[in-house]
Amino acid sequence: MKERGIKKATASCIPWLLAAFLPYFLYGFAYFPVLDDFIQYGCYPAYENLSHVYLTIGTLSIRPLAGLLDPAFWGLFWEVPGIALCLIVLLHVASGFLLGKALENFSLKPSPLFLALYLLFPLGMEGRYWLSASTRLVVGLFFATTSIYFYSRYASGDKLRYLWFFSLFQLISCGFYESVTVFSAGVACLLFLYRPAKRNLPAVLFSIFHVGLMFTYYKLFADLGAMGSRATAGFSLERLPGQIVYLVLQLQEMVVPAWKSLTDGFTGGLRILCTSGFWGYCILFCMLVVSVCLAAVTREDEKRDTGKKSLCFLIGGFLLFGATLVPNLLSEEVWLTNRSLFIPLIGLFFLLDAAVIHLPLTGRRVLIFICLFVCMIASVNEYDVYRRVSEQDTRLVDQVAEQLSEKALAGEEPIQVVLKKEVTTQQNALYKDHVKSVFDADWSLTGALRERLNNLQLVCNEPIVTETAVEKTDCFVVYVD
């Protein structure tokens, strides 16, 4: 009986894996690095002594497990980043199923619509594709959902060891991203409130302890290395009301990019697939088939208590959305990005699922089909944006590298890149630092050049845009067309 259950779970997982992988088939599952990728996975592993990265640069000052794994594990895949992307997708799908199974143990199984949005919503592409973000968010989310699954087993009456597994995996998840820490603790506390029992109280206490432990860690290591200042945050109660208002305003700003990533992303992705020849049409056909199949196998929930379940998703989704945004208020400047919303979006997906519960079966199947088909194609468009930005940066970085002097290569004089125009790539919705060029800042260009030339001595000034000659005697000037 147990073996049959495992086979059934595996069979149900396969089409969702295919749905998550399909958008990346267009370019042969290639990964296109941008911005921080060149530093974290190209430069950091090149240091002979990684303690320089961990302690002098200070990557362990915040998100310590993510900082630890960047050069020690993910850096191993720099020459074959497609493997790293494959691992991330697998962990992402696994996290969705673990969360679903955990909630099912509380008779709160989410609908396939929730899983479709969880895996494929285009606004979440930055958080689930870009390695500099996904190695924190997706990996942390995997450990968080694993901990929640163990809690659900313990709360269902299983052995004490599941409580300890819950505590261990939740603690691990806290080392990857602040919003993941809040998500893991928040879900555990909400599930306790849903099914309160004295036996389950230690899980809440563990959650509170782990959040406090990470806060203490950030304070203790706030001065560790050059990146330590990012952990000090400069939080002030006096500025909190203003920061909350600013956070809300930024959320309003992101409504348009979110909508465009879905609508314009769909039309853009469809155009890309239809102009990619036979292979593009094959992928489009597979997306259609997978969407139809996953919508068709949707069934009525057994013993549905739609009112109670809907209310739980409404309240829980709202609280999770708000709670996982709180870490943004603890920094000196509120800076909301696409990746910042990767975890809070899960709360919104629960809110949407609360409405879907009340639809008839046919309506839910149609909605699930539309959601899957649109999101997969829109994800292709986002994937293509990363490709175009990465390839353009690579071409321009090569131009710079070919012109460098011996003194510049030795790090004896900084490099001043002069551009005829700003380096941009057409996107549906430009927002802050979403898929920007390495030529947007000195640190990103320095990292890209160091990785390209395998030379950690290079130093770049911030690129400037001008059509006139630049007269500087203290740096090596490079003109890029």
Side-chain angles (χ1 to χ4, degrees):
M1 193 73 179
K2 185 177 180 180
E3 184 179 347
R4 185 183 301 175
I6 294 173
K7 288 182 178 179
K8 184 178 179 181
T10 304
S12 65
C13 186
I14 290 174
W16 287 104
L17 273 171
L18 188 57
F21 275 101
L22 268 173
Y24 306 119
F25 283 0
L26 181 62
Y27 301 122
F29 222 81
Y31 178 76
F32 303 101
V34 296
L35 292 173
D36 306 55
D37 290 340
F38 297 103
I39 300 171
Q40 293 175 187
Y41 313 114
C43 293
Y44 285 170
Y47 284 96
E48 293 183 3
N49 188 353
L50 289 183
S51 64
H52 175 79
V53 177
Y54 296 142
L55 304 178
T56 305
I57 297 176
T59 59
L60 293 185
S61 62
I62 55 172
R63 303 164 191 167
L65 290 182
L68 181 70
L69 293 177
D70 277 345
F73 179 74
W74 297 109
L76 300 176
F77 303 105
W78 182 243
E79 298 300 326
V80 282
I83 295 177
L85 178 59
C86 182
L87 290 174
I88 291 294
V89 175
L90 288 172
L91 290 176
H92 193 201
V93 175
S95 71
F97 273 83
L98 284 166
L99 181 59
K101 184 60 180 176
L103 294 175
E104 185 179 0
N105 290 339
F106 284 88
S107 302
L108 292 172
K109 184 179 180 180
S111 76
L113 177 69
F114 172 84
L115 190 56
L117 294 170
Y118 181 94
L119 295 176
L120 293 162
F121 192 65
L123 191 69
M125 188 73 169
E126 183 173 293
R128 68 176 182 266
Y129 170 78
W130 185 30
L131 285 180
S132 292
S134 61
T135 53
R136 287 139 174 76
L137 289 163
V138 174
V139 177
L141 188 59
F142 170 76
F143 284 109
T145 52
T146 303
S147 74
I148 294 164
Y149 170 73
F150 283 131
Y151 172 67
S152 73
R153 291 290 301 271
Y154 175 74
S156 299
D158 277 339
K159 295 180 179 179
L160 180 64
R161 65 170 181 258
Y162 287 104
L163 176 64
W164 294 111
F165 288 155
F166 158 77
S167 177
L168 174 63
F169 278 85
Q170 186 184 71
L171 181 59
I172 293 173
S173 73
C174 292
F176 286 93
Y177 211 83
E178 298 80 19
S179 58
V180 171
T181 302
V182 176
F183 174 80
S184 179
V187 173
C189 292
L190 287 171
L191 290 177
F192 172 78
L193 293 174
Y194 177 74
R195 188 182 291 176
K198 187 177 180 180
R199 182 175 188 267
N200 300 337
L201 184 59
V204 176
L205 299 179
F206 274 132
S207 298
I208 296 172
F209 173 73
H210 291 156
V211 172
L213 187 64
M214 289 312 300
F215 182 80
T216 303
Y217 178 93
Y218 276 35
K219 286 295 182 183
L220 289 175
F221 292 91
D223 298 322
L224 181 67
M227 296 178 65
S229 59
R230 295 174 62 184
T232 56
F235 173 72
S236 169
L237 285 174
E238 294 178 356
R239 293 189 291 108
L240 184 59
Q243 287 183 301
I244 294 174
V245 171
Y246 190 47
L247 178 66
V248 173
L249 291 175
Q250 289 191 54
L251 284 172
Q252 291 177 341
E253 283 182 36
M254 295 194 72
V255 171
V256 172
W259 178 250
K260 284 188 174 182
S261 71
L262 196 61
T263 55
D264 293 356
F266 173 73
T267 56
L270 195 61
R271 182 171 57 254
I272 291 166
L273 289 170
C274 291
T275 55
S276 298
F278 178 72
W279 182 236
Y281 282 109
C282 286
I283 294 173
L284 185 60
F285 177 74
C286 289
M287 288 178 171
L288 181 64
V289 171
V290 169
S291 300
V292 170
C293 291
L294 285 173
V297 298
T298 301
R299 296 284 183 264
E300 290 283 0
D301 293 340
E302 296 181 5
K303 301 178 182 178
R304 287 200 304 167
D305 186 349
T306 56
K308 184 178 181 181
K309 185 176 178 180
S310 178
L311 182 62
C312 289
F313 281 178
L314 278 171
I315 297 174
F318 177 77
L319 291 175
L320 280 177
F321 177 73
T324 50
L325 285 171
V326 169
N328 293 280
L329 300 173
L330 302 181
S331 58
E332 189 171 1
E333 179 186 4
V334 177
W335 185 258
L336 208 58
T337 60
N338 289 18
R339 60 189 176 276
S340 303
L341 283 182
F342 183 76
I343 300 298
L345 279 173
I346 299 173
L348 291 185
F349 299 155
F350 277 121
L351 291 174
L352 290 173
D353 209 24
V356 171
I357 290 173
H358 299 285
L359 291 177
L361 180 59
T362 302
R364 283 190 288 133
R365 283 175 171 171
V366 170
L367 189 59
I368 290 165
F369 165 77
I370 293 173
C371 177
L372 278 166
F373 192 59
V374 169
C375 286
M376 275 192 282
I377 292 177
S379 295
V380 168
N381 182 75
E382 287 290 307
Y383 184 37
D384 186 67
V385 171
Y386 279 93
R387 178 191 66 82
R388 288 186 282 113
V389 171
S390 181
E391 290 181 350
Q392 178 177 249
D393 279 353
T394 299
R395 184 174 65 256
L396 295 177
V397 166
D398 284 343
Q399 283 189 34
V400 175
E402 291 169 358
Q403 302 179 52
L404 296 183
S405 67
E406 291 297 326
K407 290 181 69 175
L409 289 170
E412 295 175 4
E413 58 182 359
I415 303 162
Q416 178 64 66
V417 173
V418 182
L419 306 165
K420 281 191 174 181
K421 60 180 181 179
E422 184 181 359
V423 180
T424 59
T425 303
Q426 185 179 357
Q427 300 181 34
N428 292 324
L430 287 166
Y431 181 77
K432 291 186 177 177
D433 55 359
H434 180 57
V435 205
K436 280 199 170 185
S437 168
V438 295
F439 287 85
D440 190 62
D442 54 352
W443 61 266
S444 53
L445 180 56
T446 298
L449 270 173
R450 285 180 174 182
E451 187 281 327
R452 174 66 181 83
L453 296 170
N454 193 25
N455 183 341
L456 299 177
Q457 306 301 318
L458 297 173
V459 178
C460 296
N461 293 332
E462 184 167 346
I464 59 177
V465 180
T466 180
E467 295 182 356
T468 60
V470 177
E471 295 183 3
K472 286 193 174 183
T473 58
D474 62 338
C475 61
F476 182 77
V477 181
V478 178
Y479 292 91
V480 178
D481 294 331

